[in-house]
């Protein structure tokens, strides 16, 4: 399945915010190339070729290969943060909100697994300024999940001796789905999301599990 065809939560055009069309085609081609070959092994010629364009055309829209990666990473991390925050700010007790957060976060990493692999695992290829920007977004995602778990502990609904460590474990579990998810496998993104939500409730000792 190509990046253009991936879908999660009905998101058939995950790069709709990228315009014009040529810039979007190049970005999609970059995601596919980075996921397949890795950032450092991918050349701008590779990206342009996948997009059906000349190497010179790429530079009209992106000054460098790193600029492409930064754009991909920023959009992906904004999406991930929005997913978690929507759940964190939703109605219901901590167990309900944590379930929603994990299910949605996992569903995105499964449904958009090619994109998510690049977004989550090519961070070290960014320069210091761009990397710091993405790390700040990751910290906000961490804070949103940590806040839900803290609410559950405060209410006596969760048994979590180490909230920061548990938060890291939860997020790592969700993100790693992008590494192994296979569209031809036995479970859909939604089914994996439900499974992981149940596992996480067990991790935090939820009384609702």
């Amino acid at each position: 399945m190509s990046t253009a065809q991936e879908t999660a939560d009905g998101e058939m055009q995950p790069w709709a915010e990228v315009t014009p069309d040529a810039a979007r085609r190049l970005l999609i081609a970059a995601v596919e190339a980075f996921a397949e070959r890795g950032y450092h092994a991918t050349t701008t010629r590779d990206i342009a070729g996948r997009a059906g364009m000349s190497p010179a055309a790429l530079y009209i829209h992106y000054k460098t290969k790193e600029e492409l990666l930064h754009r991909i990473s920023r959009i992906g991390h904004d999406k991930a943060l929005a997913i978690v925050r929507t759940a964190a700010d939703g109605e219901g007790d901590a167990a309900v909100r944590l379930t929603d957060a994990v299910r949605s976060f996992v569903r995105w990493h499964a449904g958009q697994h090619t994109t998510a692999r690049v977004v989550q695992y090519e961070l070290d290829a960014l320069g210091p300024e761009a990397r710091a920007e993405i790390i700040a977004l990751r910290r906000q995602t961490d804070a949103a999940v940590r806040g839900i778990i803290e609410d559950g502990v405060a209410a006596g609904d969760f048994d979590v001796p180490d909230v920061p460590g548990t938060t890291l474990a939860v997020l790592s579990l969700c993100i790693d789905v992008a590494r192994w998810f296979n569209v031809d496998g036995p479970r859909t993104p939604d089914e994996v999301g439900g499974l992981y939500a149940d596992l996480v409730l067990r991790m935090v000792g939820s009384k609702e599990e």
Side-chain angles (χ1 to χ4, degrees):
M1 178 181 289
S2 73
T3 305
Q5 294 171 314
E6 285 183 348
T7 179
D9 303 325
E11 188 182 31
M12 290 301 294
Q13 294 294 333
W15 305 107
E17 61 270 73
V18 180
T19 56
D21 179 68
R24 184 185 307 111
R25 284 165 52 201
L26 286 163
L27 186 142
I28 290 171
V31 170
E32 293 172 348
F34 293 158
E36 180 181 314
R37 306 185 62 182
Y39 174 81
H40 293 294
T42 298
T43 67
T44 53
R45 184 175 294 276
D46 293 332
I47 296 168
R50 284 174 181 261
M53 301 165 70
S54 69
L58 185 148
Y59 296 108
I60 295 173
H61 302 284
Y62 303 99
K63 295 178 182 178
T64 64
K65 184 174 70 167
E66 186 191 335
E67 183 179 330
L68 257 170
L69 178 61
H70 179 219
R71 184 86 166 112
I72 292 164
S73 192
R74 177 63 200 236
I75 292 172
H77 278 87
D78 280 340
K79 176 65 176 178
L81 177 58
I83 288 169
V84 173
R85 277 187 169 167
T86 296
D89 295 339
E91 298 181 355
D93 60 17
V96 169
R97 289 182 286 127
L98 186 59
T99 295
D100 289 345
V102 171
R103 181 183 288 120
S104 299
F105 202 51
V106 167
R107 192 164 52 217
W108 185 79
H109 281 84
Q112 302 289 337
H113 56 97
T114 303
T115 297
R117 284 201 302 273
V118 176
V119 168
Q120 299 291 3
Y121 296 114
E122 293 288 356
L123 178 62
D124 289 342
L126 293 172
E129 186 175 341
R131 189 172 187 274
E133 177 186 313
I134 300 306
I135 287 174
L137 290 172
R138 286 182 176 233
R139 287 174 176 162
Q140 291 179 60
T141 299
D142 180 281
V145 174
R146 187 171 65 248
I148 300 173
I149 295 174
E150 288 173 342
D151 287 347
V153 172
D157 294 331
F158 295 166
D159 180 14
V160 182
D162 182 348
V163 172
T166 301
T167 300
L168 177 61
V170 169
L171 289 172
S172 297
L173 186 70
C174 296
I175 289 169
D176 197 57
V177 169
R179 284 188 184 272
W180 60 261
F181 185 79
N182 185 341
V183 293
D184 296 320
R187 291 189 174 94
T188 66
D190 194 58
E191 288 170 342
V192 177
L195 171 64
Y196 274 47
D198 180 68
L199 291 173
V200 168
L201 288 183
R202 293 172 185 269
M203 285 174 61
V204 300
S206 172
K207 294 180 179 179
E208 295 187 21
E209 187 277 316

